[in-house]
Amino acid sequence: MMFSNHKDLLGLKTATREDILKVLDLAKEMKKLVLSENKKSADLAGKSVVTLFYENSTRTRMSFELASKYMSASSANMTATASSVQKGETLIDTGATLDQMGVDVIIMRHNMSGAPHFLAKHVKASVINAGDGINEHPTQALLDLYTMREHLGEISGKKVAIVGDVLHSRVARSNAYGLNAMGAHVVFAGPTTLMPADDLSPLKAEYTSDIREAVKDADVVMGLRIQRERQKAGLFPSVREYSKFFGVNDEILALAKPGALLMHPGPVNRGVELSTMVADGEQSVIREQVQNGVAVRMALLKILTRRENL
């Protein structure tokens, strides 16, 4: 069950196809609202939503804030740098404080893997994992799945090539779990130094250090952000060399199926993971991913504030 105790969304590791379709089907209805001139519904009227971010974010945070406001929730945001966390407050105490204030949903991003799971055990509010360490980023994967389904129809049987820093990517993990649940074939490509050293079998994905092999006949090609801070650890020789061997350009994208989707969770390091030509090209759905993120997060908020419907 993707929704822990019908209360929280912490990851996609145990998600079923039915769990995912429930969100994607509702997101389709929510997108109509996002595209309308009157972006307002009463679905979350009387509910309160707080974003609790211990790491920086633009897309995820803003889309959750807009999603809650479009649905008439009372929303607030809290950052670790401007809160009592700076005074030494523990995560449990922060959660207890938000509980006492009557918060219904806490959307949390944290640099430590497992932090949202820990918080969820100590609060009455629903907790949504907006990214925890190198563990998972379930809402990003759900919006990616929504985008694929919108363009490809059926995801089952499709080949998805995920290229880049898999070792540090929570996006790669959540996508692998979600894509497996939907019956897709996942192939990771990247330098061996940027692949998990442990067993990849839980992700049910193939691995290759040859980007051409990964992209060949793919229905979807997804680039992952190179976390430049990792370069200081010497995990790859240089950004230029990484781009030469693992960057997706028009020559590499041409190896995929005609009309294959080009995706990226953002932000894109242009000229590194993707060339500007493909990032802005006809096959790119990167901007659609952002739009679909609002619709998917609206669907999740509606589901989690109506627990009886799960």
Side-chain angles (χ1 to χ4, degrees), residues 10 54-56 108-117 129-138 165-174 225 227 229-230:
L10 303 175
Y54 290 75
E55 288 184 322
N56 294 332
M108 182 184 186
R109 170 168 288 191
H110 203 285
N111 58 2
M112 290 188 65
S113 298
H117 299 253
N129 181 3
D132 63 325
I134 61 172
N135 181 37
E136 281 212 54
H137 193 349
D165 183 0
V166 176
L167 176 62
H168 302 104
S169 178
R170 51 199 177 202
V171 172
R173 284 171 176 77
S174 285
R225 182 177 72 89
Q227 301 174 39
E229 60 272 21
R230 310 296 181 191

Side-chain angles (χ1 to χ4, degrees), residues 15-17 20-21 24 141 144-146 148-149 152-162 172-188 201-206 214 217-222 257 261 263:
T16 65
R17 176 182 172 86
I20 292 170
L21 288 177
L24 303 191
D144 291 340
L145 290 168
Y146 180 91
M148 292 179 207
R149 188 187 188 208
L152 303 176
E154 181 58 59
I155 297 174
S156 179
K158 297 296 191 289
K159 179 182 178 180
V160 180
I162 300 178
R173 284 171 176 77
S174 285
N175 263 291
Y177 295 138
L179 286 163
N180 283 322
M182 297 298 287
H185 174 210
V186 181
V187 182
F188 290 135
S201 60
L203 298 177
K204 298 178 182 176
E206 289 186 33
D217 296 325
D219 298 278
V220 179
V221 179
M222 181 183 298
K257 286 183 180 176
L261 304 182
M263 304 180 73

Side-chain angles (χ1 to χ4, degrees), residues 226-244:
I226 283 298
Q227 301 174 39
R228 288 175 180 263
E229 60 272 21
R230 310 296 181 191
Q231 166 59 14
K232 297 174 184 176
L235 295 177
F236 53 95
S238 68
V239 169
R240 177 178 291 181
E241 187 159 328
Y242 176 88
S243 177
K244 178 180 178 181

Side-chain angles (χ1 to χ4, degrees), residues 27-310:
K28 187 175 181 180
E29 296 303 310
M30 295 294 104
K31 187 169 181 178
K32 295 176 184 176
L33 183 66
V34 175
L35 295 174
S36 70
E37 292 187 9
N38 181 28
K39 298 176 177 61
K40 203 70 173 176
S41 79
D43 288 314
L44 264 63
K47 301 294 183 180
S48 57
V49 177
V50 168
T51 54
L52 175 60
F53 276 49
Y54 290 75
E55 288 184 322
N56 294 332
S57 170
T58 300
R59 292 158 188 76
T60 302
R61 182 172 191 154
M62 183 59 68
S63 63
F64 265 119
E65 289 183 13
L66 288 174
S68 61
K69 288 176 179 176
Y70 289 164
M71 301 171 77
S72 303
S74 298
S75 61
N77 62 76
M78 176 179 166
T79 58
T81 55
S83 71
S84 293
V85 172
Q86 291 296 95
K87 301 176 183 177
E89 184 171 68
T90 67
L91 184 55
I92 289 180
D93 287 339
T94 298
T97 298
L98 294 174
D99 253 356
Q100 291 301 311
M101 292 180 177
V103 173
D104 295 294
V105 182
I106 300 172
I107 299 151
M108 182 184 186
R109 170 168 288 191
H110 203 285
N111 58 2
M112 290 188 65
S113 298
H117 299 253
F118 180 74
L119 179 66
K121 295 177 181 177
H122 294 90
V123 295
K124 296 176 183 176
S126 292
V127 175
I128 298 178
N129 181 3
D132 63 325
I134 61 172
N135 181 37
E136 281 212 54
H137 193 349
T139 65
Q140 177 67 46
L142 287 168
L143 74 88
D144 291 340
L145 290 168
Y146 180 91
T147 305
M148 292 179 207
R149 188 187 188 208
E150 196 171 48
H151 283 269
L152 303 176
E154 181 58 59
I155 297 174
S156 179
K158 297 296 191 289
K159 179 182 178 180
V160 180
I162 300 178
V163 182
D165 183 0
V166 176
L167 176 62
H168 302 104
S169 178
R170 51 199 177 202
V171 172
R173 284 171 176 77
S174 285
N175 263 291
Y177 295 138
L179 286 163
N180 283 322
M182 297 298 287
H185 174 210
V186 181
V187 182
F188 290 135
T192 54
T193 52
L194 294 179
M195 286 290 147
D198 54 351
D199 187 6
L200 280 174
S201 60
L203 298 177
K204 298 178 182 176
E206 289 186 33
Y207 161 70
T208 177
S209 58
D210 184 347
I211 187 175
R212 292 174 177 272
E213 178 185 335
V215 172
K216 183 174 173 55
D217 296 325
D219 298 278
V220 179
V221 179
M222 181 183 298
L224 298 173
R225 182 177 72 89
I226 283 298
Q227 301 174 39
R228 288 175 180 263
E229 60 272 21
R230 310 296 181 191
Q231 166 59 14
K232 297 174 184 176
L235 295 177
F236 53 95
S238 68
V239 169
R240 177 178 291 181
E241 187 159 328
Y242 176 88
S243 177
K244 178 180 178 181
F245 290 102
F246 295 100
V248 179
N249 52 32
D250 53 346
E251 179 187 346
I252 294 297
L253 190 58
L255 298 172
K257 286 183 180 176
L261 304 182
L262 178 75
M263 304 180 73
H264 194 292
V268 178
N269 291 307
R270 288 173 178 262
V272 182
E273 302 108 25
L274 308 178
S275 70
T276 292
M277 182 175 292
V278 298
D280 295 334
E282 291 183 357
Q283 291 171 253
S284 174
V285 293
I286 296 171
R287 292 178 182 173
E288 287 181 47
Q289 288 174 262
V290 176
Q291 183 181 75
N292 292 337
V294 180
V296 166
R297 286 159 178 143
M298 288 171 70
L300 289 168
L301 288 171
K302 184 170 181 176
I303 289 171
L304 288 175
T305 53
R306 286 166 169 74
R307 297 177 193 174
E308 70 277 6
N309 291 337
L310 287 174

